[in-house]
Amino acid sequence: MSEDRGRWGSRTGFILAATGSAVGLGNIWGFPTQVGQGGGAAFVLVYLVAVLFICAPILLGEIVVGRYSQLGPMGAVRRLAPTGPWWLIGILAVSAGTFILSFYSVIAGWTVQYLWLAVTGGLESGPEASGALFTELAGQSWRNIFATGLFLAVTAWCVNRGIKRGIEAAARIMMPVLFVLLMILAVRAVTLPGAGEGLAYYLRPDLSQLRDPGILGAAVGQAFFSLSLGMGALITYGSYLHRSHKIRSAAMAIVGIDTLIALLAGFIIFPAGFSIAGFDPATGGPGLIFAVLPQLFATLPGGLIFGAAFFLLLSVAAFTSTISLLEVPVSHAIDQWRWSRRKAAATVGLFCFVVSIPCALSFGGGPAALADLPVIGGSFFDLMVNVWNEWALPIGGLLISLFVGWRWGVAHAGKELRREGPGFPSPKLWGVLIRFVSPAALVFLILLRIAS
Ligand code: TRP
């Protein structure tokens, strides 16, 4: 085993780092966007079902594979299943990590620029200007490339410091900061005038919405991204655990905290949104975070402080997630190609930066073709999101659940869980979920995507 592999300092360190991976832009921006587009509280219900019955079993499955094999996705499947097409899981993991990081870091770059604007008073321009401000900012090529590159450089620096001194140390500082910011903002948002309407929208389900099968598809997709599933991020993080560390309760904690933080983000976004005249909850996307909310920060007394807190929250959440995205291909290069951690972090980081450039130029600041690709009809950025989020992650997740449930097999995996003594979920319940429920739901999701 390579000297560079590394290990968590403690089980708590692992839980914090894995939670840091899970909690990101997906929770604070993606989740409220999906709730807004999926019709409000009904989506929240479906989401909770998807998390518990479809995603949590896969999350535990990834961690079992990592802890048992003490290797990242490619090493693990090669060792546990030398025959068959399972190496595809390894390929998907490395490429999804690299390419998701390339567009994710562009948005992370925006959050840092907004933080800067909030601190320097640049958000003060007034409500009408917020939409225009975003369009202008997203079109500033050099500034966005610079901010994206900076974010990637800090991520690579942290990953280069190693598992305990880099990834775990960052999570130990960032996660408490994130939680405090989240609480302050939630309290501020629910006490805004007009917050009641937003809360009703968020909490009172309109059950007629449930007739749309698309809701389940959207909920599974969102939960997958939010929990960092489908590309072996948790196989990788699990591989730095000691074989004696217990993982069932750790998996429950990661799922619980990630879901709690997504729900809390809804308590910020919806009351805040509905307190602005003419707010449409289905706005979603960049418009919601970067155009709608700054209106509020511009008009609220002391709003810039909350604006700064909000964009700091987003930057911090994004940072612990970009770390995990980079760590997957970096650990692959260390395990499989025997690279040093330094060489791996620098090379993969640089490669991601190169791919992130066309992503950053997809918003009007670059060649027109990037903003609207011929044939595909969408920007380069949209294309990347589509390929990697909408296709690669569910396919990866399906392969991982089949691999754990059927190829390596629940007999082996269950034995690995039983070693820990009694706990929840029982290996039997978990076995049924990962063999039947999760793969069936993912096949349904993939068919739904093919049909649309
Ligand atoms: N889960 C993170 C979020 O919600 C994003 C993320 C980090 C991710 N690592 C991942 C998504 C691995 C999929 C796979 O923003």
Side-chain angles (χ1 to χ4, degrees), residues 290-315:
F290 296 109
V292 175
L293 291 180
Q295 289 180 35
L296 178 70
F297 301 138
T299 45
L300 199 67
L304 284 186
I305 296 179
F306 293 105
F310 181 71
F311 289 111
L312 179 63
L313 169 74
L314 277 170
S315 310

Side-chain angles (χ1 to χ4, degrees), residues 18-28 96-97 100 104 222-234 258 317-318 320-326 328 389 393:
T19 310
S21 163
V23 175
L25 299 170
N27 301 59
I28 296 160
I100 292 178
Y104 197 94
Q222 171 60 29
F224 241 71
F225 187 79
S226 186
L227 290 166
S228 301
L229 296 181
M231 49 157 271
L234 287 151
D258 183 68
T320 45
S321 296
T322 54
I323 288 176
S324 83
L325 287 163
L326 182 60
V328 173
N389 277 7
L393 293 184

Side-chain angles (χ1 to χ4, degrees), residues 183-401:
M183 294 316 284
I184 294 174
L185 286 160
V187 170
R188 173 66 272 202
V190 297
T191 52
L192 284 169
E197 203 190 329
L199 289 176
Y201 173 82
Y202 186 42
L203 297 177
R204 233 181 267 144
D206 166 8
L207 294 179
S208 68
Q209 303 262 3
L210 296 182
R211 277 187 227 119
D212 175 8
I215 277 205
L216 180 64
V220 177
Q222 171 60 29
F224 241 71
F225 187 79
S226 186
L227 290 166
S228 301
L229 296 181
M231 49 157 271
L234 287 151
I235 300 183
T236 307
Y237 274 21
S239 74
Y240 306 128
L241 280 168
H242 224 277
R243 295 247 1 246
S244 63
H245 283 137
K246 296 192 176 183
I247 52 178
R248 269 184 285 184
S249 49
M252 292 297 138
I254 297 162
V255 171
I257 300 172
D258 183 68
T259 307
L260 183 75
I261 291 186
L263 292 173
L264 267 173
F267 278 102
I268 299 174
I269 306 282
F270 292 108
F274 276 90
S275 77
I276 300 170
F279 171 69
D280 172 9
T283 312
L288 177 68
I289 297 289
F290 296 109
V292 175
L293 291 180
Q295 289 180 35
L296 178 70
F297 301 138
T299 45
L300 199 67
L304 284 186
I305 296 179
F306 293 105
F310 181 71
F311 289 111
L312 179 63
L313 169 74
L314 277 170
S315 310
V316 166
F319 181 55
T320 45
S321 296
T322 54
I323 288 176
S324 83
L325 287 163
L326 182 60
E327 177 60 22
V328 173
V330 162
S331 84
H332 178 90
I334 293 172
D335 285 348
Q336 304 293 316
W337 305 334
R338 306 277 159 216
W339 285 12
S340 70
R341 181 164 277 279
R342 172 182 286 270
K343 176 176 169 192
T347 313
V348 182
L350 202 62
F351 181 80
C352 289
F353 178 58
V354 172
V355 183
S356 76
I357 293 174
C359 296
L361 295 181
S362 289
F363 300 88
L370 281 178
D372 192 7
L373 292 175
V375 189
I376 292 156
S379 67
F380 182 79
F381 185 95
D382 297 334
L383 175 71
M384 295 292 278
V385 175
N386 192 279
V387 170
W388 299 105
N389 277 7
E390 323 249 301
W391 293 97
L393 293 184
I395 292 172
L398 176 62
L399 289 174
I400 290 173
S401 62

Side-chain angles (χ1 to χ4, degrees), residues 129-214:
S130 297
L133 174 70
F134 176 63
T135 314
E136 197 218 293
L137 184 135
Q140 293 273 350
S141 320
W142 291 111
R143 242 180 25 205
N144 285 310
I145 292 172
F146 177 75
T148 306
L150 192 68
F151 210 95
L152 281 172
V154 178
T155 303
W157 168 77
C158 184
V159 164
N160 177 48
R161 285 175 60 90
I163 306 307
K164 192 167 150 194
R165 282 179 55 240
I167 302 178
E168 181 174 339
R172 276 185 193 277
I173 301 168
M174 299 289 178
M175 294 317 281
V177 171
L178 185 137
F179 199 72
V180 170
L181 289 171
L182 206 57
M183 294 316 284
I184 294 174
L185 286 160
V187 170
R188 173 66 272 202
V190 297
T191 52
L192 284 169
E197 203 190 329
L199 289 176
Y201 173 82
Y202 186 42
L203 297 177
R204 233 181 267 144
D206 166 8
L207 294 179
S208 68
Q209 303 262 3
L210 296 182
R211 277 187 227 119
D212 175 8

